[in-house]
Amino acid sequence: MCGIVGYIGKAQAAPILLDGLSKLEYRGYDSAGIAVYDGEHIVGKKAMGRLKVLSEMTHDGETMPGTVGIGHTRWATHGAPTDENAHPHFNESETIAVVHNGIIENYLKLKKKLIDKGYSFQSETDTEVVAHLLDYYYKGNPLEAITKVMHRVDGSYALGIIFADQPGYVYAVRKDSPLIVGKGKDGNLIASDVPAVLKYTRDVCFIENEEIARLSEDAIEFFNVDGEPIEKTYKTIEWDVNAAEKGGYEHFMLKEMYEQPKTVRDTLSPRLKDNDIVIEELGMTDEEIREISRIRIVACGSAYHTGVTAKYVYEGMARIPVEVDLASEFRYRNPILDEKELVIIISQSGETADSLAALREAKERGNTTMGIVNVVGSSIAREADKVFYTWAGPEIAVATTKAYSAQLIAHYLLAIKFARVRGTITEQEMADYITDLKRLPDQIELLLGNKERIQRFANRYVTAKDVFFIGRGIDYAISLEGSLKLKEISYIHSEAYAAGELKHGTISLIEEGTLVSAVVTQEDLYKKTVSNIVEVRTRGAFVMAVTNEGNTEIEKAADYVVYIPKTNKYFTNSLAIIPLQLFSYYVSVGKGCDVDKPRNLAKSVTVE
Ligand code: F6R
């Protein structure tokens, strides 16, 4: 999704803006632009495509002198990805420049009114309305104009604004789209995400909904929507700036896959105390846990897939019924929620628009909500009643790997905790589960060590047209994620099917040489899935099976087998997903795709 950076200070702004935007590239974008005040005017430069086009155009910012500016990477929503539609947008006299993340929902109505008043528009964007509306209200007091605009626009926005006749200030405004300010030594910054400012400061402040920040070279002030001053506190970012860099790996995705043992350890350890599971941060009493009538998991994409796995885990271990919903569906179908239902929203970014809306819907209905979130201080983390942080660190590759793995751990811990409190497992069973959980990081490491074998296999499939992923129970949930990983980064069509469902239509697509990946880790379903393997193989499929160590019999049915170490049946997803991630990664590399930034995708989907 779009990224925002702004700077005011002693240094030249343009190189800092370009550098900050480069740290936001992972969010996905299709054009970029910056605007800098040169001492007399605001000068803007925009370019379609990658940031390097803009860098070349401005000689890395050198041709845009000035110490105040704003910058943007745009992921097109309203209007095609063109130079005209790229941000910043200006008023007609180019004395006000605006960058914007989010969507102005009533922009057509406002645009019509502004055209009636004689304003003309250069772009198809909703953002340009903000620039002209600011112009309309601006009578020399920026704060007054900004608050008037805030009262007129509906929708979501994070805005960075500069005024040519107020060159000592950068303004930042937010509603339902993340925005932070960073307090630097030689200047201050705004950004839509922390990595953009980490090179200059670790002291950041999260702007809340309907708040305004006014930055000068040496001060940052905050105001509410009525323009009244407010006090805010700063947070020190603890994670290392290197965590947001590639650290010698060819791609962020590979680096992040290799971080999974650590991610799993970091998410587990703080919650394991003397063979007990203690999740203090949730502040949930045993009474509250016993009272849960149902768990409703709501999420998007891979986060949703961890929810599908979690259904089997919570229901199996804790005997609590679970419903899993896609956030984009949940919010519009007037869902029937029982008042004792716990609503769990899963989100790496904590900013996914549909997941955030689902959270608000559940809260409005009076349900207790819990966020399983990776980004500290994100909207979902702040708004959920309870937060379970996955300690995966910043995830840069668009395709999630380590955050997915950490989300699984969060579910396992919650399920064991709930099961023990509700008396559906014994103390001994809990101890056994914990022993298996503690083994997972080493087992993941072992599987990652097998990467060359998977790479050789993947190289044979770079020209594949269709791939099918099948499995039953938890193996079906693993297949959903395996399939999404492959298609999103390699652009090869793939589908995941519950293994028993394939013969109800889709099996007609299997032809000589079609690759079918079968996940077979659930021992009680082993024979059933092997029968499904035989069904597709007799129709010409080439079968790759992922199964538990010891199931060597499968070699008679499958063409290529990957073994995963033994673990509890509920935790096999954490292991079986590793070869599938590696497979997708190497197919994508083999095809020469942009692994970390697949086309059309964004890291943080802040529009619905
Ligand atoms: C796929 C992927 C996406 C996200 C989805 C939800 O690799 O990363 O499917 O899982 O967009 O994002 P978050 O977890 O940030 O809410």
Side-chain angles (χ1 to χ4, degrees), residues 299-338:
C300 304
S302 297
Y304 168 81
H305 295 160
T306 70
V308 180
T309 298
K311 175 178 168 70
Y312 295 99
V313 184
Y314 290 113
E315 289 189 344
M317 270 190 208
R319 308 304 297 151
I320 306 174
V322 177
E323 295 273 332
V324 195
D325 265 298
L326 289 165
S328 52
E329 289 293 311
F330 174 84
R331 58 184 296 197
Y332 291 119
R333 77 174 157 78
N334 194 11
I336 302 168
L337 298 186
D338 167 338

Side-chain angles (χ1 to χ4, degrees), residues 430-484:
M430 174 158 97
D432 292 344
Y433 286 136
I434 291 177
T435 306
D436 282 330
L437 283 180
K438 286 182 179 163
R439 286 196 187 118
L440 286 176
D442 290 343
Q443 292 175 322
I444 294 174
E445 213 153 280
L446 209 77
L447 286 162
L448 287 165
N450 207 7
K451 73 174 194 321
E452 275 85 14
R453 181 168 178 255
I454 308 271
Q455 180 174 17
R456 280 194 299 278
F457 181 69
N459 283 339
R460 287 159 53 183
Y461 283 94
V462 293
T463 54
K465 280 217 306 286
D466 306 289
V467 178
F468 294 89
F469 289 76
I470 59 170
R472 289 169 180 257
I474 286 181
D475 292 337
Y476 168 55
I478 302 169
S479 300
L480 286 171
E481 177 61 7
S483 169
L484 179 62

Side-chain angles (χ1 to χ4, degrees), residues 299-305 346-352 355 380 395 397-401 403 407 481 484-485 488 601-605:
C300 304
S302 297
Y304 168 81
H305 295 160
I346 315 164
S347 178
Q348 186 287 126
S349 62
E351 301 294 349
T352 302
S355 306
I380 294 175
E395 192 176 59
V398 165
T400 182
T401 51
Q407 286 164 1
E481 177 61 7
L484 179 62
K485 278 288 89 72
E488 68 181 332
L601 291 181
K603 183 66 184 163
S604 178
V605 185

Side-chain angles (χ1 to χ4, degrees), residues 243-258:
E245 308 280 351
K246 264 190 230 158
Y249 286 89
E250 200 184 334
H251 296 103
F252 280 115
M253 184 177 172
L254 187 63
K255 174 180 177 248
E256 287 160 10
M257 282 193 282
Y258 269 80

